[in-house]
Amino acid sequence: MINTVVDIGLLGLLLATALLMMRSQSPLSITILSSIYSLIICALFVVLDAVDVAFTEAAVGAGISSVLFVAVIRHDDEPSNNKRGNNKLGNDAPELKSAWPSGLSICLGLALGILLISGTADMPLYGDPAAAIHHYLAPRFLGQSGAEIGIPNVVTSVLASYRGYDTLGEVVVIFTAGMAVLLLLAFMPDQKIKSEVEGVSTTKRRGKPPRLWSRRTPLIANPVLKTVLLRFVPIVILFALYVQFHGDYGPGGGFQAGIIFGVGLITFGLLADSEKLQNVISERMVISGMAFGVLLYGAVGVAALFFGGNFLDYSVLSESQTAGQHLGIFLIELGVGITVASTMLSLFISFHRRHFNQSQDEFPG
Amino acid sequence: MTDILSRHLPILQVVVALLIAPFCVVLGSRNLARILMVSTAVIMFAISVMLLVGVFNGEVYSYQLGGWAAPWGIEYRVDYLTAFVLFTINLIHLLASIFCLGRTDDNIGRAARPVFYTAWLLCIAGLNGMVVTNDAFNVFVFLEISSLSTYVLISCGRDPKAILAAYRYLIVGAVGATFILLSIGLLYMQTGTLNISDLSRIIAERGSDRTIIMALSFFIIGIGIKCAIFPLHDWLPNAYSFAPNSVTVLLSGTATKVALYVMLRFLHDLFGANFSFTEMPLDIVLILCAILGMLLAPIVALRESNLKRMFAWSSVAQISYIVMGIGIGTTAGTAAALLHLFNHSIIKVAIFMAVGIVIARTGTARIKLLGGVAQRHRFACYAMLFGGLGLIGIPGTVGFVSKWVLVTAAVEKGWWWLAIPVLAGSLASAAYIWRIVETLWTKPIATDDAMDGGGSAPLDAKAEGGSADIAGSKKSPGAIFRERSEFDRTRIKDDTRKYLPAAVDLEHTPTTGGTPIHIVEWLPLMVLTGLALWFGLNASFTSDLALRAAASLINPEPMNLSQ
Amino acid sequence: MSSVEAWFGALPGLLNYWVAIILLVCGLIIVMDSRNLIKKLIGLNIFQSAVFLLFITMGKVSQGHPPILPSIPRSIMPAAISNFSNPLPHALILTAIVVGVATTAVGLALIVRIRRAYGTIHEDQIADKPEVEPEIMP
């Protein structure tokens, strides 16, 4: 009963937030609404028993995503060739449209929605224990993973072992995104379309090789914030380590830990000045870290091949099956954590980097 | 040893590229990254050949990842169809990655080259993963790997519009991928499993309901975006024309083809042909889209002023032939689709390579400015023409073979009227190919005046270039190319100074003609042209392969697992 | 009283799916309709999270618990299995969330570069910029 009330309340909040987001025109307020939306859906996930997913959604949707959006929106200190002087990104958008969406997309959306809702008629009801999905694969995961893998968190068992290959794919996706952002924001020279001249110019700046920490002054200069937040950094990092190594027993795991770890370092980056942070972590370390996690994950898989098992078959890594599974899951979660933490750091840095000089010849580090 | 190796072939096909990609960026050296990339391509091609041979010997590979049995763990599975598509895309990838070593026209400096190669390898790893896997959710994961790297590869183009094209493709592509995810979710909700063979069995047992119909429709929209099926093709012309040439070459031969494979696999294997084509009117829908595409896209191509974009539109048209084959749904129709998938990959990749060579040498993709180019880039232009003839479907080319098989399949099913749009589409493609021929061969060499609208005599320098060409025709290809490119460099510099804004820093743009057409550029082009010639005249190998692949999809034989 | 309770008991029914579908449509409308590139990306996020909600809802079992086993080494009794929600959708959606944030990051990087090239992130203003053929391809 209480569950139902909470569920319905959260659904209502979600809808309200989504409608507000449709209406809002300012990128900053949409971003803030989107992080609220993430928190609500995160609470909903808890109600729906998906604690691991909620954890991830909180870290990703309300955390990293919002940080990235804000980083892009406040990235307004670049020289702009827009004629307006104090041009804030996105806020210069002319109000060509009314705040509400146009008729065509509403119609399309409504048509799709009605079609979809009519399609729900054959779906199993909420929480129905007789639904097909609870009777085929899930009983084995719930019933056997204790004996086969030996860790209490079944989500981790599924994620890291039964479907470990998907997780390898997931790490590779993160790695790909890291590489993509690095390529787009760090390596490519900027192009500009000039409104006066009919044409395109590829401007290439020569100069010092790009430095990851090009911002010399800390982003947060307020002494109160600085003092308080600086105390938090070690706690955040400690918590990340807890989440990393306790993921087998409770909600959490490499991915969440990686994000939290990354956030800890990002906070430090916001507070400390550039030299200090560069002493802690160099650019080369960040890039290598992204690759190292993937390689560690892959190495576990390849090691299984050499021990005579299939790819990612952890059971062959040690004498007993569960010991092998423990070892394998530990290592791959570590790989996930390293890649995710480095990628988060790299994303943050890339988005906060000023318009910097492009080097043609030097690889960073 | 070979036994163990052959057992692990399906996973090696994907994991080699997946794990070598990070090395490229860690090592940070451009030359090492190049070596790694090409050797990976060689290894992957070798693996795909081994798989094809293995399948010919009657094996069906089934590989349990993590050692977990199929519905609980993820399964890799290689049958005729899989091996056929793997062979196609890895062949194209090998040639494309050799081509990629040549002149580049992207917007990344030398320092970023390893990262570019990393994205390249991840893209092809993702595509291979989509083909090999027999798990619906795994398809989504690898689809995303390849999509994300595709977006960034496209954005490497020099024109700022490349970034815009990449962004628009990202939005559309992500919506498509999410539709696929939704479809997988609905299927899972009704069946409780994610394994494709398992899903197909359960769907056949329990019958369809509204949720499964929803799943099918979302899947078709999602994968239709990735395949660029006619009304959902919007991203393709922009993405292909603004991406760097090497990327266009790679994508045109692999990305859409893999999406088409996934569609075929899901329709026949997962949903079941009975459900997709008999219960649901999917055959009509697909054939309608195909007819529209094959008639309308060539018309747009005909009006296109940019050479690369024109051929991108032609890709939309050619994909329609494959979709028509899929829509026919019979073994013969599917075989026609697969045959055209292979044949179109070969000719379109060859065309884009030739286009890339021409664009890199002349510095322009505007058809108007390319008048008389064939006199200087004879090899590239003849390769382009030969590919173009294949696109039309002139007898003796690969295009004819696949269109013939397609029409035969349609007639066999009693839908003889499908021959009309096929023929009309071919005529329409003849029109745009003729336009190219007319410009490249017969028009006078573009000059400043020609640019402004009036044709005039070639400049002296260009006449010299022409004569050097004639004189060089008896020399070794390298010498000819060297002379031609020397000539081109002067031409492009004059041209760019004239036409492009003063802001362009010519000293810092990589020199256009300073180096000859390198072996890495003409070799893959020559191989592809040779293959197209061979398979056009002697189609027994490819059509046999396509027929077997189609048969394995539609009437799966009892399994002979090699696990 | 009991009728109210029965009504509440039956209420979630398909409601979660419906809300997920409405959110999905909202997200899609934002993606289709918005001219601001950042808003488009956020619309994409809503659209994706609606699908996540659908997945997670189907894994829920009434009166169930999060799929974390109380006792480690022993297998749980078959009868107790139905006390836990289905872990598989959770694992899938974890992966999908990561894929979503990766897509967002790449999209944002592209937006930053679009802004550098065009000076705006508004599609109408981008369309105003001079139409240029990609002709320098040296």
Side-chain angles (χ1 to χ4, degrees), chain A residues 112 115-124 131-134 136-138 140-141 148-149 161-166 168-170 172-177 179-184 187-194 197-204 206 284 287-288 290-292 294-295 297-299 302 305 308-315 321 325 358-364, chain B residues 7-8 11-12 14-15 18-23 25-28 63-69 71-74 76 107-112 114-116 118-119 122 129 135 137-138 141-142 144-145 148-149 152 155-163 179 182 186 188-194 198 201-202 209-211 214 218 221 499-505 508-510 563:
Chain A
L112 182 74
L115 214 70
L116 269 169
I117 287 185
S118 75
T120 57
D122 290 332
M123 288 182 182
I133 60 167
H134 302 305
Y136 190 24
L137 302 186
R140 153 103 185 241
F141 292 141
E148 286 176 343
I149 292 166
S161 188
Y162 291 107
R163 298 187 69 85
Y165 192 63
D166 272 346
L168 175 62
E170 164 192 335
V172 174
V173 167
I174 278 287
F175 174 72
T176 312
M179 287 296 125
V181 174
L182 210 60
L183 196 56
L184 282 166
F187 284 118
M188 276 191 213
D190 284 341
Q191 305 124 315
K192 247 181 201 153
I193 287 196
K194 305 213 162 149
V197 195
E198 280 260 326
V200 184
S201 78
T202 308
T203 48
K204 292 200 173 152
R206 288 183 171 267
R284 183 103 193 125
I287 293 177
S288 311
M290 280 155 72
F292 178 74
V294 177
L295 290 174
Y297 204 136
V302 174
L305 289 186
N310 277 356
F311 189 74
L312 288 176
D313 186 354
Y314 316 130
S315 306
Q321 185 183 3
Q325 291 286 347
Q358 173 69 30
S359 154
Q360 286 292 299
D361 305 315
E362 280 183 60
F363 195 76
Chain B
R7 190 163 74 89
H8 292 302
I11 183 68
L12 291 176
V14 181
V15 138
L18 216 55
L19 295 184
I20 287 182
F23 270 115
V25 71
V26 170
L27 296 174
Y63 190 84
Q64 262 92 45
L65 281 149
W68 300 111
W72 290 277
I74 295 166
Y76 266 13
N107 183 32
I108 44 178
R110 261 188 271 169
V115 185
F116 177 81
T118 305
L122 290 171
D135 187 279
F137 189 76
N138 203 241
V141 174
F142 278 83
E144 283 292 348
I145 295 178
L148 277 183
S149 35
V152 68
S155 71
C156 289
R158 183 153 293 174
D159 192 294
K161 289 202 167 162
I163 300 174
F179 272 152
L182 177 61
L186 295 174
Y188 174 62
M189 181 191 275
Q190 296 305 79
T191 61
T193 182
L194 291 165
D198 224 23
R201 181 180 59 79
I202 294 175
D209 56 22
R210 283 188 191 186
T211 311
M214 252 164 78
F218 278 106
I221 298 172
Y499 305 138
L500 296 178
V504 177
D505 183 359
H508 289 156
T509 42
Q563 165 59 29

Side-chain angles (χ1 to χ4, degrees), chain C residues 1-104:
Chain C
M1 187 63 209
S2 65
S3 70
V4 173
E5 213 155 290
W7 187 76
F8 255 118
L11 188 60
L14 292 169
L15 190 71
N16 275 41
Y17 298 125
W18 293 343
V19 172
I21 287 166
I22 296 170
L23 290 175
L24 187 137
V25 170
C26 284
L28 208 56
I29 287 177
I30 296 179
V31 172
M32 285 191 294
D33 210 63
S34 163
R35 308 294 290 163
N36 183 315
L37 302 185
I38 289 189
K39 192 174 173 189
K40 245 186 164 77
L41 213 52
I42 289 187
L44 191 65
N45 280 352
I46 299 182
F47 176 62
Q48 287 174 333
S49 63
V51 177
F52 303 161
L53 180 59
L54 195 116
F55 265 85
I56 297 300
T57 302
M58 70 173 96
K60 167 78 178 165
V61 179
S62 306
Q63 269 91 47
H65 299 284
I68 296 175
L69 306 178
S71 56
I72 306 157
R74 284 168 296 150
S75 317
I76 53 171
M77 294 296 111
I81 285 176
S82 60
N83 286 344
F84 294 96
S85 290
N86 192 334
L88 187 54
H90 301 179
L92 302 182
I93 290 312
L94 264 175
T95 307
I97 288 178
V98 175
V99 168
V101 72
T103 312
T104 306

Side-chain angles (χ1 to χ4, degrees), chain B residues 474-553:
Chain B
K474 289 180 188 72
K475 297 180 196 165
S476 70
I480 302 171
F481 288 134
R482 217 161 292 131
E483 283 169 24
R484 289 175 188 172
S485 348
E486 200 52 49
F487 155 72
D488 273 346
R489 179 161 63 171
T490 49
R491 177 171 182 265
I492 180 61
K493 286 223 164 167
D494 292 346
D495 278 5
T496 26
R497 289 229 168 81
K498 193 79 188 171
Y499 305 138
L500 296 178
V504 177
D505 183 359
L506 280 178
E507 302 313 314
H508 289 156
T509 42
T511 47
T512 35
T515 47
I517 296 188
H518 204 269
I519 180 165
V520 298
E521 286 170 303
W522 62 259
L523 184 74
L525 181 53
M526 213 126 111
V527 170
L528 281 170
T529 314
L531 282 177
L533 200 62
W534 174 254
F535 289 133
L537 297 173
N538 179 8
S540 59
F541 173 68
T542 44
S543 43
D544 177 51
L545 207 57
L547 202 62
R548 280 169 186 247
S552 81
L553 180 71

